Amino acid sequence: MMDVKDCGGVILTAFHSFRIQSDEQKHTADNRKAQYPRIAMSSPGSGSPLAPDRSVSRDSMEDYWSEMKNIQEDRQDRHEDLVERVSSDEAELEEAWLQEAGLSTLVTGTQSDGPAEALLSTLTRSQAAMVKKRVDNYTQTLRKRNRQPMRHVRDVFSMADASSELTPPISPNGQIAPKLPQWNPPKVPPACSVFTPPDGRSSSSGSEPVVLALDVPYSEGARAHRKGRECHDCRRIRKDDKDLPGFQTVKPRQGVTRVNDLSSEDLRKIGYISLIELTTFYDIMGIEMKRNRVERSKARDSGIFGVPLTTLLENDQKKYPGSRVPQVFRKLLFKLEQTGLQTEGILRVPGSASRVKQLRQELELKFYEDRFDWDQVRQNDAAGLLKMFIRELPYPLLTQQHLPAFTAAQSISSPKHQIQALHLLIMLLPEANRDTLKALLEFLRKVVAFEEKNRMSLWNVSMIVAPNLFTFSGKNAKQEEMQVAVAAAQLVRLLITHQDLLWTVPCFLISHIRKMNEAAMGKKTPTSEKTKRRLLRRWNTEKDRDRSEVTDLRDGVIRVHAPLHTKVSMAIQLSCEMKARDITARFDIENGRGSRSASRRQRQCLFEVGGNIGERCLDPDAHLLDVYHANPHCEWVLKSR
């Protein structure tokens, strides 16, 4: 048996089975191996391997070859001809990065929707240095092309020397922005409980779980990689472990925040910070983070296959308001869950190519007219349609611009750091992509749960799904892209196993949002006499309301508004251990709600609204006094999600 060490590459080749094969099976396997040569899974540049796990089944590589063969045959049959133009202009890519990070004002000098100055004031020293590096690279690239940048990097950041503290950046209006603070990682309170996934599953699979701190930026925890120092986390290479390590997080007293608990505006700011933090994290880890910027021919605006997710959702929401995942995708998942979870080889065994082609045509014509007969769809045909839908998205499910960042995570030797990279990438995805990926991963977890019946292990599923997620949909997919997909199966395995963790928002990102909003509120000034009068009337109204409530709204006392209850308002004195669930229970008791309205009562959640956050649905276990201290000027509202 090969001894897997902490350095050096490990070469995975197609598995040569010792089973007696028929001549036809052997010929097919030989063709696949000849068509797709062996693939190295060593980490580029770092020298730390992604060692194969011993849980890899004997046929896992053959599953990959089969899936790639099916994908190639499907493309040849459709004669697809997608026009792509990849932008390799470095200045353009840097400008796109700054735009996505909400910092376009640093290079254009004009106002934008992104709160650049407020965002800069919340960055850690490492994050601010990364922003300076990107602006500097943008400036240098323009100078090489004999073009003058709108603003020089010296006008944005001023560095006394490489080792000194950052001096305040210059804001677009010429004023000095607040000094960038140096990050002091807070200590984790020892009394906090450990977070368990909401479905009751433990992410640990036998070995001692790894505690993942969510209150400190991941880039700060990865500093040990610099200057050749050894990182304790990276010594946990999968050498003798039969299973993936488990991860647990310290449950914050303000409660666990999931992605859908936040408003769209706050999620947009989460995206800004996540991009800066991910780039800083990769830089500290010594990983080059490339970006794609692709322009395609016009995508279809009607139909099912080859239509952008946003267009599909717009069409669905006309009929099904509030849809977050395309209806056809949900229907395919429901069909597979209903009839395919116990089918042997589901996802692996392809359906009839002619039958899948016919079903595809019928879906295009009949789905939105509710005339499509789902009873005629067999399990394996539904699996083929599902994978075809993902592959034919004109813009990849993991997004074109962030695919390189996903694949770059393969070069990280530590599962803990891989999880951290994936966590930030999930925060970066657009809402439509993130919700659709979540629905897919939840289904894949169900498939693995029925492994004894369907013979689909976690590695089988990962090997089959990886080529559909990580290879480009154009017919000119390069060989290296297919090679990367093999190593990407490791990432798919992590996504399936730890999906509950990945859809929670790290505490340090919530802290960033609060600081950004506080900084932005401090900068707001009335822009006209009309605005001033409107604000004055609102302030007077709020002052009158405060006077009427002065008797009960003392320190530590909140007023909860419940528009859907009989008693629409209640003043509550907070205690150290009072939780959000206690408030909902008290309203239920005070209003004497009957069993008839029990189902509606269960949908009532407590929200913190305004103050230093847009809106956040509180975890039932959130300690309200801690939330009150973090956001003393918010409103408390009990309402449906």
Side-chain angles (χ1 to χ4, degrees):
M1 177 66 68
M2 177 184 295
D3 181 25
V4 181
K5 299 181 180 179
D6 290 356
C7 61
V10 177
I11 305 297
L12 292 188
T13 64
F15 176 78
H16 296 271
S17 176
F18 290 98
R19 296 173 301 175
I20 299 177
Q21 296 177 310
S22 65
D23 292 340
E24 181 179 357
Q25 289 173 325
K26 184 177 181 182
H27 177 72
T28 303
D30 289 342
N31 283 344
R32 288 176 192 153
K33 294 167 189 174
Q35 188 174 7
Y36 305 108
R38 68 182 187 173
I39 294 174
M41 290 181 65
S42 59
S43 59
S46 65
S48 299
L50 281 177
D53 197 288
R54 291 186 180 182
S55 64
V56 179
S57 71
R58 288 174 162 245
D59 294 323
S60 61
M61 295 302 292
E62 291 191 17
D63 292 338
Y64 174 72
W65 309 135
S66 297
E67 189 63 22
M68 288 305 305
K69 183 174 182 293
N70 294 333
I71 292 173
Q72 191 174 69
E73 289 176 351
D74 177 57
R75 288 172 178 165
Q76 290 173 349
D77 182 62
R78 288 186 286 109
H79 302 290
E80 70 174 6
D81 186 19
L82 297 180
V83 179
E84 296 184 355
R85 183 177 67 84
V86 179
S87 171
S88 58
D89 186 285
E90 193 170 357
E92 189 177 351
L93 293 177
E94 293 291 5
E95 186 176 356
W97 185 93
L98 291 165
Q99 177 75 33
E100 189 177 351
L103 299 171
S104 59
T105 59
L106 298 187
V107 294
T108 62
T110 58
Q111 295 296 327
S112 71
D113 295 334
E117 192 171 347
L119 176 55
L120 284 173
S121 68
T122 70
L123 299 183
T124 68
R125 188 167 185 265
S126 299
Q127 292 168 346
M130 173 53 61
V131 172
K132 183 220 177 263
K133 181 178 178 181
R134 304 305 291 242
V135 176
D136 188 48
N137 191 39
Y138 169 80
T139 302
Q140 294 296 332
T141 305
L142 288 186
R143 285 183 175 276
K144 290 177 183 179
R145 295 164 50 188
N146 296 321
R147 285 179 52 190
Q148 289 297 322
M150 294 293 296
R151 302 176 68 204
H152 194 275
V153 67
R154 288 195 300 268
D155 298 330
V156 181
F157 294 102
S158 176
M159 300 286 288
D161 55 67
S163 61
S164 66
E165 292 289 334
L166 288 173
T167 56
I170 306 300
S171 64
N173 59 10
Q175 297 178 348
I176 296 180
K179 183 178 180 180
L180 296 172
Q182 185 172 4
W183 184 269
N184 294 315
K187 294 182 179 180
V188 178
C192 291
S193 59
V194 174
F195 169 66
T196 303
D199 60 357
R201 294 183 179 88
S202 172
S203 58
S204 175
S205 50
S207 60
E208 183 181 352
V210 179
V211 176
L212 197 64
L214 301 182
D215 57 345
V216 179
Y218 295 150
S219 58
E220 298 299 312
R223 282 179 174 273
H225 280 269
R226 296 189 305 175
K227 299 180 182 179
R229 295 198 300 268
E230 185 179 11
C231 176
H232 173 74
D233 296 319
C234 284
R235 293 201 300 266
R236 299 182 60 89
I237 295 176
R238 298 170 300 282
K239 183 175 180 181
D240 299 317
D241 295 341
K242 292 184 178 180
D243 301 299
L244 284 170
F247 296 100
Q248 289 182 328
T249 62
V250 176
K251 190 167 185 177
R253 287 184 61 85
Q254 292 183 33
V256 174
T257 303
R258 295 172 180 83
V259 175
N260 292 335
D261 291 340
L262 296 172
S263 65
S264 296
E265 179 63 23
D266 287 336
L267 282 177
R268 187 163 66 95
K269 296 173 184 176
I270 287 285
Y272 296 155
I273 305 163
S274 297
L275 179 59
I276 296 172
E277 169 63 9
L278 178 69
T279 310
T280 307
F281 179 71
Y282 273 13
D283 185 66
I284 290 175
M285 298 284 292
I287 298 171
E288 184 181 2
M289 181 175 164
K290 296 181 180 179
R291 285 173 60 86
N292 283 336
R293 191 175 183 183
V294 179
E295 293 184 7
R296 293 174 176 267
S297 58
K298 284 188 177 181
R300 300 175 59 196
D301 57 4
S302 62
I304 300 294
F305 294 87
V307 180
L309 285 175
T310 52
T311 304
L312 286 170
L313 287 174
E314 288 173 3
N315 295 336
D316 289 342
Q317 288 167 357
K318 295 174 183 177
K319 190 172 184 179
Y320 305 99
S323 295
R324 301 181 66 91
V325 176
Q327 288 296 315
V328 66
F329 195 75
R330 282 200 178 280
K331 289 283 189 180
L332 287 169
L333 292 178
F334 178 76
K335 178 68 178 180
L336 285 166
E337 291 178 11
Q338 190 179 40
T339 63
L341 290 179
Q342 301 187 44
T343 301
E344 184 170 344
I346 194 64
L347 296 181
R348 182 199 299 128
V349 180
S352 166
S354 59
R355 196 165 56 242
V356 170
K357 183 178 179 180
Q358 180 183 351
L359 290 171
R360 170 199 167 105
Q361 293 173 347
E362 290 188 27
L363 272 171
E364 294 279 8
L365 294 173
K366 301 178 181 179
F367 178 75
Y368 282 111
E369 297 177 2
D370 293 330
R371 295 189 297 111
F372 184 77
D373 182 13
W374 286 98
D375 292 334
Q376 66 175 323
V377 182
R378 304 178 186 180
Q379 300 96 316
N380 298 99
D381 295 339
L385 289 168
L386 181 73
K387 292 184 288 185
M388 183 183 292
F389 176 88
I390 296 171
R391 288 197 305 270
E392 293 189 23
L393 287 172
Y395 313 110
L397 185 58
L398 301 181
T399 71
Q400 192 70 59
Q401 64 268 36
H402 297 308
L403 263 177
F406 272 99
T407 56
Q410 300 163 26
S411 63
I412 301 175
S413 59
S414 161
K416 177 177 179 178
H417 291 325
Q418 282 186 320
I419 281 290
Q420 290 172 327
L422 290 174
H423 203 175
L424 294 170
L425 281 163
I426 293 298
M427 297 297 107
L428 271 174
L429 292 177
E431 289 187 56
N433 299 65
R434 187 168 50 232
D435 292 336
T436 303
L437 177 63
K438 186 175 188 294
L440 174 64
L441 293 177
E442 289 173 346
F443 163 71
L444 296 178
R445 181 165 57 185
K446 294 175 184 177
V447 173
V448 175
F450 283 87
E451 178 183 352
E452 292 185 3
K453 296 286 186 181
N454 57 38
R455 306 299 181 188
M456 295 293 298
S457 69
L458 178 60
W459 256 110
N460 292 144
V461 173
S462 300
M463 279 289 184
I464 290 169
V465 172
N468 293 280
L469 283 179
F470 284 90
T471 52
F472 296 165
S473 57
K475 72 175 182 178
N476 296 321
K478 298 177 182 178
Q479 179 68 21
E480 55 265 28
E481 290 163 2
M482 291 185 280
Q483 293 172 352
V484 164
V486 178
Q490 163 68 4
L491 299 186
V492 175
R493 182 169 71 148
L494 289 172
L495 286 169
I496 296 173
T497 306
H498 302 294
Q499 55 186 278
D500 293 319
L501 168 64
L502 295 174
W503 260 262
T504 63
V505 184
C507 303
F508 68 84
L509 292 182
I510 299 294
S511 297
H512 265 297
I513 288 182
R514 295 192 189 280
K515 292 175 184 176
M516 281 180 63
N517 290 338
E518 288 170 356
M521 285 188 294
K523 300 294 180 183
K524 288 181 180 178
T525 55
T527 56
S528 66
E529 288 299 321
K530 184 177 180 181
T531 304
K532 290 179 181 179
R533 288 195 298 271
R534 185 166 61 248
L535 287 176
L536 185 61
R537 284 197 301 270
R538 191 177 71 183
W539 289 336
N540 289 334
T541 302
E542 291 175 352
K543 196 174 295 184
D544 293 339
R545 186 187 65 187
D546 292 341
R547 290 196 193 99
S548 65
E549 297 177 352
V550 70
T551 56
D552 57 356
L553 293 188
R554 299 178 298 275
D555 185 40
V557 178
I558 63 172
R559 178 167 293 281
V560 180
H561 303 277
L564 298 181
H565 285 68
T566 303
K567 188 169 184 177
V568 297
S569 181
M570 187 185 301
I572 297 175
Q573 173 72 58
L574 299 178
S575 63
C576 291
E577 296 304 317
M578 182 175 288
K579 299 181 179 180
R581 66 171 72 253
D582 299 327
I583 299 295
T584 56
R586 182 176 298 189
F587 265 87
D588 291 339
I589 294 173
E590 290 286 339
N591 287 276
R593 319 229 356 132
S595 59
R596 181 180 179 182
S597 59
S599 60
R600 185 173 66 175
R601 184 167 67 245
Q602 291 173 356
R603 293 196 297 270
Q604 297 287 296
C605 301
L606 185 62
F607 287 75
E608 59 165 319
V609 182
N612 57 29
I613 204 162
E615 180 175 284
R616 183 171 78 108
C617 179
L618 294 178
D619 179 0
D621 290 325
H623 290 77
L624 296 186
L625 195 57
D626 292 80
V627 179
Y628 171 80
H629 288 152
N631 192 6
H633 302 295
C634 73
E635 292 185 358
W636 305 79
V637 182
L638 196 64
K639 62 178 182 176
S640 301
R641 289 183 64 102

